[in-house]
Amino acid sequence: MTSNETVVRAPSELEGMRRALDIARRGPANGPNPRVGCVLLGPDGEVLGEGWHRGAGTPHAEVAALTDAADRGASTGGGTAVVTLEPCNHTGRTGPCSEALLAAGVARVVVSVSDPNPVAAGGAARLRAAGVEVESGLLADEGRALLGAWLPSVERGRPFVTLKLATSLDGRIAAADGSSRWITSEVSRHHAHDLRAEVDAIVVGTGTALVDDPSLTARNAAGELHGQQPLRVVVGHRDLPSGARLHGPGGELIHVRTHDPAQVLAQLTEREVRHVLVEGGPTLAAAFLAAGLVDEVHAYVAPVLLGSGRPAMADLGVTTIGDAVRLITRSVIPLGPDVLVVATVSQHNDPHSTTEEH
């Protein structure tokens, strides 16, 4: 059932879904599990309990809401569960949410987004089979936006890939002498660190690791490490020196000795990585693009002209304008003197296409 077809029998259900979406954002933006929120409503629309998923290994949103209702002394029998993602129907680190809702006597479940994960899906069917009324699609666009990279990652069976570029206005990432600090402004760099804090892994090639000696950490405005650090992934065959900053404080370091982006993503899929940030260099960026494995581009562009120096992208094999990799601009964000262009890769390489990929 689509969002336009959904029947909402009580205004409180719409309010409940908005609340569920809001509290779901309290959960972590990264990790193998999605952000999910749940609000339990009584027959008169009163809130009986609410909860959200706090990360892998913790109770799911539905169970957290049931616990909250119990703590309030509220009875959930005959009530309605409003949840941003279809209740799961499998036993992983925790038990099936569909069974928990049945045990609580919930009579109706309103869902924003159906679960695309074949391992966890089936909760709606299980609930219906037990006589629970289930409706899906309420505020579906908002629900999909909340799920972020998790949703396309599950749908595609691999991590969602964001390619990050930080360039001069003429597309350079370093001057002719190799210097690159700093092309973009401090405002852009802080924004990029916030992006790092939201992903599961940062990927660079051995060339970038050896030349730039990055730490690949996520830091706040004060320069302190965020509590949650992404995996640091180096791609290529060359060894890193023992004194490299990548061996210092930060996320776990993984060295994937290949030049094949698909192999990199396969290894990260095994680790339940959902969102990958490819930061460089030009050869690795071109390899991911040429393999069709870039979903989104974040291009930080500074009003600086260099005229020569390292380009942001290595040879893509494009010899004519008709073969250019086309992007669909989603937003343009001013960041101090710079701008951030967020774009997705056009599936059909059509300069006039407006089809959005999910």
Side-chain angles (χ1 to χ4, degrees):
M1 189 173 288
T2 66
S3 55
N4 291 331
E5 296 170 332
T6 299
V7 177
V8 180
R9 297 190 178 178
S12 56
E13 291 180 1
L14 182 59
E15 298 167 6
M17 185 62 77
R18 287 178 176 146
R19 175 61 179 169
L21 290 164
D22 185 50
I23 62 176
R25 296 184 182 93
R26 299 179 186 178
N30 48 20
N33 292 348
R35 284 174 163 175
V36 182
C38 177
V39 174
L40 298 172
L41 302 175
D44 296 328
E46 71 275 21
V47 175
L48 304 177
E50 60 183 31
W52 65 96
H53 185 50
R54 300 170 185 263
T58 66
H60 287 191
E62 297 92 329
V63 174
L66 291 169
T67 300
D68 183 45
D71 291 343
R72 299 186 191 197
S75 172
T76 55
T80 297
V82 179
V83 60
T84 59
L85 182 67
E86 177 187 355
C88 69
N89 195 47
H90 83 300
T91 300
R93 294 183 178 94
T94 59
C97 294
S98 56
E99 298 297 336
L101 292 174
L102 290 175
V106 169
R108 176 171 161 81
V109 176
V110 178
V111 173
S112 178
V113 180
S114 298
D115 196 333
N117 188 343
V119 175
R126 173 70 184 94
L127 290 163
R128 289 191 182 103
V132 175
E133 186 177 8
V134 181
E135 293 185 9
S136 300
L138 179 60
L139 299 181
D141 289 343
E142 292 89 336
R144 293 181 68 91
L146 167 71
L147 292 169
W150 180 89
L151 186 60
S153 172
V154 171
E155 291 174 337
R156 297 168 192 181
R158 62 163 176 82
F160 183 86
V161 176
T162 297
L163 172 62
K164 176 203 157 190
L165 305 172
T167 74
S168 64
L169 198 59
D170 52 350
R172 306 290 175 174
I173 61 171
D177 64 356
S179 60
S180 61
R181 296 185 180 182
W182 296 101
I183 290 177
T184 56
S185 68
E186 186 176 5
V187 178
S188 290
R189 296 196 297 276
H190 287 328
H191 189 279
H193 273 275
D194 290 341
L195 175 61
R196 284 181 174 184
E198 294 180 358
V199 304
D200 300 311
I202 304 174
V203 180
V204 298
T206 51
T208 295
L210 293 170
V211 171
D212 294 345
D213 191 24
S215 60
L216 300 184
T217 54
R219 297 179 180 271
N220 60 24
E224 302 164 334
L225 290 174
H226 283 283
Q228 182 69 33
Q229 291 293 313
L231 294 173
R232 298 179 287 186
V233 183
V234 177
V235 176
H237 296 290
R238 287 179 288 177
D239 292 329
L240 299 179
S242 59
R245 295 174 66 198
L246 283 168
H247 293 300
E252 180 185 353
L253 175 61
I254 304 170
H255 194 162
V256 184
R257 296 181 184 272
T258 182
H259 292 141
D260 184 355
Q263 290 185 22
V264 176
L265 295 186
Q267 288 198 30
L268 295 179
T269 299
E270 292 177 358
R271 288 173 166 262
E272 295 187 292
V273 167
R274 298 297 189 192
H275 193 178
V276 166
L277 181 65
V278 176
E279 287 212 358
T283 302
L284 188 69
F288 269 85
L289 276 169
L293 293 174
V294 172
D295 302 300
E296 178 182 73
V297 175
H298 282 220
Y300 297 84
V301 182
V304 175
L305 296 172
L306 292 175
S308 64
R310 293 177 72 198
M313 193 68 53
D315 186 5
L316 285 171
V318 175
T319 57
T320 179
I321 195 66
D323 295 333
V325 177
R326 297 287 177 174
L327 307 178
I328 303 167
T329 301
R330 298 304 180 194
S331 62
V332 178
I333 305 169
L335 294 172
D338 309 330
V339 294
L340 168 63
V341 178
V342 178
T344 50
V345 178
S346 174
Q347 184 177 13
H348 304 294
N349 197 29
D350 179 356
H352 304 296
S353 172
T354 57
T355 301
E356 183 170 1
E357 294 184 57
H358 295 292

